[in-house]
Amino acid sequence: MTTDQSPLIHLTGVDKTYRRGSEEIRVLAGLSLTVQRGEFLALMGPSGSGKSTLLNLLGGLDRPTKGAVEIGGERIDALTDRRLAGWRARHVGLVFQFYNLLPVMTAERNVELPLLLTPLSRAERRRHVATALAVVGLRDRTNHYPRQLSGGEQQRVGIARAIVTDPTLLLCDEPTGDLDRKSGDEILSLLQTLNREQGKTIIMVTHDPHASARASRTVHLDKGQLSAAAPA
Amino acid sequence: MLNWLSQISAITFANLKTLPERRGAALAAAVGIAGVVTVLVGVLSIAEGFQRVLAVSGSPDVAIVLRSGSDTEMNSGLTHDDTRLIADAPGLARNAANLPLASAELFVVINLPKRSTGTDANVPLRGVSPAAFDVRGNLTLLEGRRFEPGKNEVMVGVGAARQFSGLDVGRTVRVGQTEWAVVGVFTAGGGVAESEVWTDAAVLQPAYHRGDTYQAVYAKLISADAFHTFTDALTTNPSLSIKAMRQSDFYAEQSTLLVGFVKGIGITIAGLMAVGALFGALNTMYSSVAARTREIATLRALGFGSSPVVVSVLLESLALALAGGVLGAAGAWLAFDGHTTSTMNWQTFSQVAFAFRVSPALLVEAILWAAMIGVLGGLFPAIRAARIPIAAALRET
Ligand SMILES: Nc1ncnc2c1ncn2[C@@H]1O[C@H](COP(=O)(O)OP(=O)(O)O)[C@@H](O)[C@H]1O
Ligand SMILES: [Mg+2]
């Protein structure tokens, strides 16, 4: 990606409309957003306001109906599906509310998945996986299957999977939404550490003011537009 | 390329690991495919077994001479003079006494009860000349001795002895007005002669009021190449009206009708079952893909390509199909291979004993059928899997 001075993310005039039968729902309406490198941005808003939709556009999982999505100087909305998949593998780490781990694989193998898309050797992959699991504090859970782990531990495996390729950008969709307060706090601290110590740019969708308090900036999504104002 | 393969292996691993959870549907699909393979192998092994009996019966250096215009020994007829002229033709092999190796033979069909059902079926009773043993070359006595010329004695092929009751050495069988003593049992290299009963032509002629006529001459040639010399001499002789064929061609022709019929039936039934099995496989694979929609979407979100998804679904389907195919092939092999039976040879209207033959080529063919069903059954589900819209599929929790 280009020089550190330029913003990492630049969205301009982004529209996203979904079609449901004959009805068109305009979820994002001329939305603009700029995120600097190293920011920890909390994205809040009512349920159904389009937070996940926006996150999907930022992660290259979906395309805007209109407008430009520029990340690291690249117009990712203009990439072909194939190149977009490669771009995701190199530049983004995704963290899901329900972890989305493969139940038939151990923690180690789940974390290894994104590395299968790289030319790394088996031994190198093992090393990277060990490092990522150490970062999230799960060194001793390497050979556990998801069902043998608590929710908080599963989410940490999810975060290890997101950071194992060392991407610049972490996109987290309600990462604490399914966790109790204590586990949620641990996850938030982990994200904060990744942001501060490893310089990851993080965008986190959350409902929880407690969670957004950990971010360096909070934006609100409502009626298809973003605002910095605090909610009532 | 390498990471393409590692993507495939990761997805395939995840797919196959969840098979036990989906074992009901997976098993049904595999069993359906196993059924197709069993039927296919079972029926085609009949054709193969029958074909083999006729194939080993025929030798390219033995000529069969029939009356011109006849297709089988049944509707052929040769006079004593005809058979003398044929025996004198050039190209024939001779024995130590310098006599030509030509056997003038006749052929009647007798009724005997089958050992298995007790019902009567047709058995060929063949009258042969002394040269017959040297002409066939592969006749071996298993038990007893040859019939004695001039006596009402028979020796029976091992297939006939096994299929029909009363054909035991030491017993006599009564056919019409005549009693025949069974004096020996022989093999003939697995050929059709094993389904026949043999006696002296000179004894059979008066017993069936055949005068001094025959139906065929079996002649041993100096070599396979001598066939043309032999036939040219016969067909240019104006006092003869005959046709000559190599024994190998004669039997190959005889088997085509039955083999074609059996194969047609086998492939039709297996084909219909294959359609059913195909729907089973499709159904299993569609539900397999549906069950893993979120997993596939997650992997795609991480950057996995769509082609590894396609390939891994195909591999899963193929694995299921091959498991079913191997199961069915093994079952068919155990159940059918070597199972002996007899059937009507429509050209002679008599029974030919043969063994079901599950050949390696047949097993390979059946496994290929299974693989085809697997690939076809996996194809559309695989395409559906590859087209899963990532963002929408991730929303479904
Ligand atoms: N693939 C889709 N097809 C149709 N409607 C969709 C789709 N994805 C999201 N929506 C609709 O868009 C709106 C925003 O959804 P979403 O981005 O998930 O909201 P949030 O994450 O803020 O709860 C909702 O009304 C939702 O039903
Ligand atoms: Mg959401």
Side-chain angles (χ1 to χ4, degrees):
Chain A
M1 299 200 182
T2 49
T3 60
D4 275 349
Q5 262 61 41
S6 63
L8 178 65
I9 297 171
H10 198 64
L11 262 63
T12 41
V14 166
D15 266 34
K16 180 71 186 177
T17 34
Y18 289 116
R19 237 175 208 300
R20 223 180 262 146
S22 59
E23 199 187 354
E24 275 205 348
I25 315 160
R26 193 169 178 211
V27 178
L28 304 180
L31 179 144
S32 294
L33 171 68
T34 303
V35 181
Q36 304 296 332
R37 284 165 203 280
E39 275 201 82
F40 183 171
L41 185 75
L43 176 56
M44 299 190 79
S47 183
S49 59
K51 304 181 295 295
S52 296
T53 300
L54 176 55
L55 215 59
N56 287 341
L57 296 183
L58 292 170
L61 300 174
D62 208 351
R63 291 167 205 280
T65 313
K66 217 170 80 186
V69 180
E70 191 180 316
I71 298 180
E74 198 164 7
R75 280 286 301 270
I76 66 161
D77 55 299
L79 296 177
T80 61
D81 283 352
R82 199 189 172 79
R83 307 197 74 186
L84 199 55
W87 180 86
R88 284 198 298 271
R90 280 191 305 278
H91 299 300
V92 223
L94 299 168
V95 177
F96 305 92
Q97 178 177 358
F98 299 105
Y99 334 123
N100 288 27
L101 302 176
L102 268 59
V104 296
M105 292 184 178
T106 59
E108 182 180 35
R109 293 209 57 181
N110 266 290
V111 175
E112 189 192 14
L113 285 170
L115 295 178
L116 297 178
L117 305 167
T118 69
L120 293 180
S121 72
R122 202 184 171 78
E124 289 170 311
R125 294 202 300 262
R126 284 280 138 93
R127 242 191 22 246
H128 280 79
V129 171
T131 308
L133 282 171
V135 167
V136 301
L138 284 182
R139 231 191 188 126
D140 54 343
R141 296 287 192 275
T142 307
N143 292 314
H144 284 57
Y145 285 90
R147 62 170 184 282
Q148 300 167 324
L149 300 172
S150 72
E153 287 171 329
Q154 290 186 57
Q155 190 57 295
R156 284 199 260 166
V157 174
I159 292 172
R161 182 178 66 187
I163 61 171
V164 73
T165 54
D166 198 21
T168 14
L169 180 60
L170 289 186
L171 300 175
C172 313
D173 198 344
E174 305 192 37
T176 59
D178 204 44
L179 299 176
D180 59 52
R181 168 56 51 85
K182 184 170 167 292
S183 309
D185 278 346
E186 285 167 10
I187 294 297
L188 291 168
S189 301
L190 179 56
L191 290 176
Q192 236 172 347
T193 309
L194 288 170
N195 171 246
R196 287 186 186 151
E197 291 175 13
Q198 303 199 9
K200 303 284 178 217
T201 306
I202 301 178
I203 299 180
M204 174 180 70
V205 169
T206 183
H207 281 300
D208 183 2
H210 197 78
S212 64
R214 305 284 202 112
S216 55
R217 177 157 72 106
T218 300
V219 289
H220 290 270
L221 181 60
D222 202 7
K223 306 202 171 60
Q225 303 268 342
L226 283 175
S227 66
Chain B
M1 187 63 201
L2 243 163
N3 74 41
W4 193 69
L5 290 180
S6 58
Q7 290 180 56
I8 291 173
S9 74
I11 305 175
T12 308
F13 169 83
N15 293 357
L16 294 181
K17 273 280 246 195
T18 59
L19 261 182
E21 293 161 28
R22 297 176 279 120
R23 62 180 166 271
L27 209 65
V31 165
I33 291 169
V36 173
V37 165
T38 306
V39 166
L40 187 75
V41 170
V43 178
L44 294 193
S45 72
I46 296 174
E48 286 232 358
F50 185 73
Q51 208 163 20
R52 181 171 179 83
V53 168
L54 294 178
V56 300
S57 302
S59 163
D61 64 354
V62 171
I64 296 181
V65 186
L66 305 175
R67 186 179 61 205
S68 148
S70 48
D71 296 324
T72 68
E73 288 181 271
M74 291 284 290
N75 53 21
S76 169
L78 298 171
T79 65
H80 183 78
D81 288 343
D82 291 339
T83 64
R84 292 295 297 271
L85 285 169
I86 293 164
D88 284 340
L92 288 195
R94 288 171 179 268
N95 66 10
N98 204 29
L99 292 172
L101 296 186
S103 167
E105 304 184 357
L106 69 158
F107 182 96
V108 300
V109 170
I110 60 173
N111 269 303
L112 289 176
K114 282 191 149 190
R115 282 192 203 271
S116 54
T117 56
T119 53
D120 279 3
N122 293 341
V123 189
L125 172 58
R126 180 182 291 278
V128 301
S129 306
F133 298 95
D134 289 334
V135 171
R136 295 318 196 285
N138 60 358
L139 241 67
T140 312
L141 277 171
L142 271 189
E143 206 188 330
R145 57 175 174 81
R146 292 180 182 180
F147 57 83
E148 230 173 83
K151 290 197 172 169
N152 280 6
E153 293 180 348
V154 295
M155 51 192 278
V156 300
V158 65
R162 207 181 290 133
Q163 296 281 334
F164 295 96
S165 46
L167 295 180
D168 304 306
V169 174
R171 296 182 62 170
T172 52
V173 280
R174 188 179 176 85
V175 184
Q177 303 303 315
T178 321
E179 299 240 329
W180 302 92
V182 180
V183 298
V185 174
F186 65 90
T187 60
V192 279
E194 289 186 1
S195 300
E196 298 178 341
V197 179
W198 279 22
T199 185
D200 183 3
V203 176
L204 193 59
Q205 280 173 332
Y208 281 83
H209 313 293
R210 293 288 183 91
D212 202 6
T213 65
Y214 298 87
Q215 282 162 292
V217 173
Y218 283 69
K220 175 92 171 171
L221 303 165
I222 299 168
S223 69
D225 294 335
F227 181 74
H228 295 291
T229 319
F230 175 70
T231 46
D232 286 351
L234 294 182
T235 49
T236 53
N237 186 336
S239 55
L240 273 177
S241 173
I242 57 92
K243 77 176 201 186
M245 282 163 289
R246 291 184 196 275
Q247 192 188 22
S248 48
D249 295 343
F250 179 68
Y251 285 125
E253 210 170 281
Q254 284 206 351
S255 66
T256 48
L257 183 69
L258 185 86
V259 166
F261 178 71
V262 170
K263 279 193 174 166
I265 288 191
I267 288 174
T268 306
I269 298 175
L272 289 174
M273 289 179 69
V275 172
L278 179 62
F279 280 103
L282 270 173
N283 188 37
T284 305
M285 292 315 299
Y286 269 129
S287 53
S288 160
V289 167
R292 282 176 296 116
T293 299
R294 203 166 72 107
E295 257 174 40
I296 292 170
T298 302
L299 288 168
R300 300 274 284 120
L302 297 180
F304 278 60
S306 54
S307 64
V309 171
V310 170
V311 173
S312 65
V313 173
L314 283 178
L315 282 178
E316 179 185 348
S317 178
L318 198 60
L320 267 180
L322 288 181
V326 168
L327 195 80
W333 186 72
L334 288 175
F336 300 128
D337 192 45
H339 174 75
T340 55
T341 184
S342 64
T343 187
M344 191 71 134
N345 179 356
W346 298 100
Q347 270 92 349
T348 58
F349 287 99
S350 47
Q351 297 281 315
V352 175
F354 67 95
F356 284 49
R357 199 173 123 78
V358 180
S359 65
L362 189 51
L363 291 178
V364 169
E365 185 182 339
I367 303 276
L368 283 179
W369 272 58
M372 277 267 286
I373 296 171
V375 169
L376 285 179
L379 191 60
F380 293 102
I383 291 171
R384 176 179 288 182
R387 290 198 176 153
I388 289 173
I390 304 171
L394 285 173
R395 297 175 60 84
E396 293 160 16
T397 48

